[in-house]
Amino acid sequence: MTTSKPNGLFSPIALGTTHLKHRVVMAPLTRSRSVQPEGIPGDLMLEYYTQRTSDGGLIIAEAAQLSVATRGWHGAPGMYTDAQVEGWKRIVDGVHSKGGRMYAQLWHPGRFSHVSLTGGAPPVSASVDPEYWENPSRLISTPHGWIQPSPHRAIEKSEIPCVLELYSGAVKHARAAGFDGVEVHAGNGYFIDQFLQDGSNKRTDEYGGPIENRTRVLFEVVDAVVSAWSGDRVAVRITPGGTFNAMIDSDPEALHSYIAEGLTRFGLAYLHIIEPRMSGSMVIKDNQPPIATQRVRNIYKGKIVANGGFEPCTAATAVEEGEADAISFGRYFVSNPDLPRRIREELPLAAYDRETFYTFEAKGYTDYPFYNRTARV
């Protein structure tokens, strides 16, 4: 009789106050299926998330927008109205009823936006970069289709407290919806990341220049979010060395080492790291090890969830060797609603269809089947 080696992905873990039975996490995935124009999570999203719920597993919900003026993606849900909260509550209740746990991700896209989404308000960023909106290859999902972003402006220092209030308000809404915690999106070239990286931050005030200044917005946002809940129910997502959304930094290793050290003091539930071998949903560097996770592990003193380019076998190795505490999967959760089971039982994974990632219907969203052992392959 032969027995397979125990898989480290299927041992229990606590991420802050959230106790899990396994370490296969569903990553936040923008899917554009909220009810428009109000951005309300509806029946389609309810079916999608409950399909992907596993007993004792964690789902990180897709990025939720903080206000009308800070919207950045047509079809993305919000976290700023009572109707949105009620929609989210139905989803969270559905996930909880199947033994799952759920975090909300809070998102300010910054310059990644268009005035047709923001009610006419120009997008804001750390600094102004006309090349960003002039580049014809850079497109935003809007009610009028995929078009170039609108010209942005540099946010005034006096406006930053208003941004912090948006995050605090979103936390209160997430709590009211019953989420187990919240994740602050500080990567992928969005608002916070636009402050962090010196390729986009050319400010000369106390929010620009040296790393200590450029990280100020991140730490102020995290402090506001932790104050609105507690550190052990808060997480942060970063993209060390990431270039998605026209991002670049002169010393990304020093920047993210400083970030990792600084975030330790908040007692977060976890730090979510996207590997630089990813750019958005694309793997751009094959066979690269999880270098960002390995580097941050030597600095950050809390739990780490790693993401980006992992296969089931490499994910298990990363956990078993102590590089990460859990692994989040994105694309594979799109096409495999029963992904934890498939990994545990070493079942084949279904292929995903990129053409339906950001459409608006059930096709490519809720029509991927669960594994059926009796079906003919």
Short mmCIF file of all heavy atoms in Angstrom, two decimals, residues 5 35 50 85 111-112 119 159 229 271 275 282 310 338 342 345 357:
data_model
loop_
_atom_site.label_atom_id
_atom_site.label_comp_id
_atom_site.label_asym_id
_atom_site.label_seq_id
_atom_site.Cartn_x
_atom_site.Cartn_y
_atom_site.Cartn_z
N LYS A 5 2.58 11.81 0.07
CA LYS A 5 3.16 12.70 1.07
C LYS A 5 2.13 13.74 1.49
O LYS A 5 1.42 14.30 0.65
CB LYS A 5 4.39 13.38 0.47
CG LYS A 5 5.01 14.42 1.39
CD LYS A 5 6.11 15.16 0.66
CE LYS A 5 6.63 16.31 1.51
NZ LYS A 5 7.63 17.13 0.78
N VAL A 35 -23.95 44.72 -10.38
CA VAL A 35 -25.12 45.29 -11.04
C VAL A 35 -24.88 46.78 -11.27
O VAL A 35 -24.59 47.53 -10.34
CB VAL A 35 -26.39 45.08 -10.19
CG1 VAL A 35 -27.60 45.71 -10.87
CG2 VAL A 35 -26.63 43.59 -9.96
N THR A 50 -20.12 31.76 -3.80
CA THR A 50 -20.50 30.56 -3.05
C THR A 50 -20.05 29.30 -3.77
O THR A 50 -19.75 28.29 -3.12
CB THR A 50 -22.02 30.53 -2.80
OG1 THR A 50 -22.73 30.70 -4.04
CG2 THR A 50 -22.44 31.63 -1.84
N VAL A 85 -23.64 47.47 0.54
CA VAL A 85 -23.40 46.69 1.77
C VAL A 85 -24.38 45.52 1.85
O VAL A 85 -23.99 44.40 2.20
CB VAL A 85 -23.52 47.60 3.01
CG1 VAL A 85 -23.51 46.77 4.29
CG2 VAL A 85 -22.38 48.62 3.03
N ARG A 111 -4.78 57.30 -10.64
CA ARG A 111 -4.78 57.77 -12.03
C ARG A 111 -5.34 56.74 -13.01
O ARG A 111 -5.64 57.08 -14.16
CB ARG A 111 -3.37 58.16 -12.45
CG ARG A 111 -2.38 57.01 -12.54
CD ARG A 111 -0.97 57.49 -12.81
NE ARG A 111 -0.05 56.37 -13.02
CZ ARG A 111 1.26 56.51 -13.26
NH1 ARG A 111 1.79 57.71 -13.29
NH2 ARG A 111 2.03 55.44 -13.45
N PHE A 112 -5.50 55.52 -12.57
CA PHE A 112 -6.07 54.45 -13.40
C PHE A 112 -7.59 54.62 -13.43
O PHE A 112 -8.34 53.87 -12.80
CB PHE A 112 -5.67 53.10 -12.81
CG PHE A 112 -6.13 51.91 -13.60
CD1 PHE A 112 -5.40 51.45 -14.68
CD2 PHE A 112 -7.29 51.23 -13.26
CE1 PHE A 112 -5.82 50.34 -15.42
CE2 PHE A 112 -7.72 50.12 -13.98
CZ PHE A 112 -6.99 49.68 -15.06
N GLY A 119 -17.91 60.42 -12.24
CA GLY A 119 -18.87 61.50 -12.18
C GLY A 119 -18.31 62.82 -12.67
O GLY A 119 -18.79 63.89 -12.28
N GLU A 159 -5.98 67.23 0.78
CA GLU A 159 -7.03 66.27 0.42
C GLU A 159 -6.76 64.88 0.96
O GLU A 159 -7.66 64.03 0.97
CB GLU A 159 -7.16 66.20 -1.10
CG GLU A 159 -7.59 67.47 -1.79
CD GLU A 159 -7.58 67.34 -3.29
OE1 GLU A 159 -6.49 67.40 -3.89
OE2 GLU A 159 -8.67 67.14 -3.87
N TRP A 229 -10.88 49.21 12.73
CA TRP A 229 -11.17 47.83 13.12
C TRP A 229 -10.09 47.41 14.09
O TRP A 229 -10.00 47.96 15.19
CB TRP A 229 -11.22 46.92 11.89
CG TRP A 229 -12.10 45.73 12.07
CD1 TRP A 229 -12.50 45.18 13.25
CD2 TRP A 229 -12.73 44.97 11.03
NE1 TRP A 229 -13.32 44.11 13.01
CE2 TRP A 229 -13.49 43.95 11.68
CE3 TRP A 229 -12.72 45.02 9.66
CZ2 TRP A 229 -14.24 43.02 10.96
CZ3 TRP A 229 -13.46 44.09 8.94
CH2 TRP A 229 -14.21 43.10 9.58
N LEU A 271 0.41 39.73 5.32
CA LEU A 271 0.93 40.56 4.24
C LEU A 271 0.81 39.76 2.96
O LEU A 271 1.31 38.63 2.88
CB LEU A 271 2.38 40.95 4.51
CG LEU A 271 3.07 41.82 3.45
CD1 LEU A 271 2.34 43.15 3.25
CD2 LEU A 271 4.53 42.07 3.84
N GLU A 275 4.23 38.28 -6.65
CA GLU A 275 5.57 38.10 -7.19
C GLU A 275 5.79 38.93 -8.47
O GLU A 275 4.87 39.06 -9.29
CB GLU A 275 5.83 36.62 -7.50
CG GLU A 275 6.07 35.77 -6.28
CD GLU A 275 7.36 36.15 -5.57
OE1 GLU A 275 8.35 36.46 -6.27
OE2 GLU A 275 7.37 36.16 -4.33
N MET A 282 -0.89 38.16 -16.13
CA MET A 282 0.02 37.47 -17.04
C MET A 282 1.33 37.11 -16.34
O MET A 282 1.90 37.93 -15.59
CB MET A 282 0.34 38.37 -18.24
CG MET A 282 -0.87 38.78 -19.07
SD MET A 282 -1.57 37.42 -20.01
CE MET A 282 -0.24 37.14 -21.19
N PHE A 310 2.16 30.66 -9.16
CA PHE A 310 2.30 29.39 -8.44
C PHE A 310 1.47 28.29 -9.10
O PHE A 310 0.35 28.51 -9.55
CB PHE A 310 1.85 29.53 -6.99
CG PHE A 310 2.82 30.27 -6.12
CD1 PHE A 310 2.67 31.63 -5.88
CD2 PHE A 310 3.90 29.61 -5.54
CE1 PHE A 310 3.55 32.31 -5.08
CE2 PHE A 310 4.81 30.29 -4.73
CZ PHE A 310 4.63 31.65 -4.50
N ASP A 338 -13.87 24.39 -7.51
CA ASP A 338 -13.51 23.45 -6.45
C ASP A 338 -11.99 23.29 -6.36
O ASP A 338 -11.49 22.18 -6.11
CB ASP A 338 -14.17 22.09 -6.71
CG ASP A 338 -13.91 21.56 -8.13
OD1 ASP A 338 -13.35 22.31 -8.96
OD2 ASP A 338 -14.27 20.40 -8.40
N ARG A 342 -9.44 19.91 -5.82
CA ARG A 342 -8.63 19.40 -6.93
C ARG A 342 -7.16 19.32 -6.55
O ARG A 342 -6.47 18.37 -6.91
CB ARG A 342 -8.81 20.30 -8.16
CG ARG A 342 -10.22 20.26 -8.74
CD ARG A 342 -10.24 20.78 -10.15
NE ARG A 342 -11.59 21.01 -10.65
CZ ARG A 342 -11.95 20.86 -11.91
NH1 ARG A 342 -11.07 20.47 -12.81
NH2 ARG A 342 -13.20 21.11 -12.30
N GLU A 345 -6.71 16.38 -3.91
CA GLU A 345 -6.87 15.04 -4.47
C GLU A 345 -6.05 14.84 -5.75
O GLU A 345 -6.16 13.80 -6.39
CB GLU A 345 -8.36 14.78 -4.74
CG GLU A 345 -9.21 14.81 -3.48
CD GLU A 345 -10.67 14.52 -3.76
OE1 GLU A 345 -10.99 13.96 -4.84
OE2 GLU A 345 -11.51 14.85 -2.89
N PHE A 357 -12.54 37.03 -18.88
CA PHE A 357 -12.16 37.52 -17.56
C PHE A 357 -12.92 38.80 -17.20
O PHE A 357 -13.36 38.97 -16.06
CB PHE A 357 -10.66 37.82 -17.52
CG PHE A 357 -9.78 36.61 -17.26
CD1 PHE A 357 -10.31 35.34 -17.20
CD2 PHE A 357 -8.42 36.77 -17.07
CE1 PHE A 357 -9.50 34.23 -16.96
CE2 PHE A 357 -7.60 35.68 -16.82
CZ PHE A 357 -8.13 34.41 -16.77
#
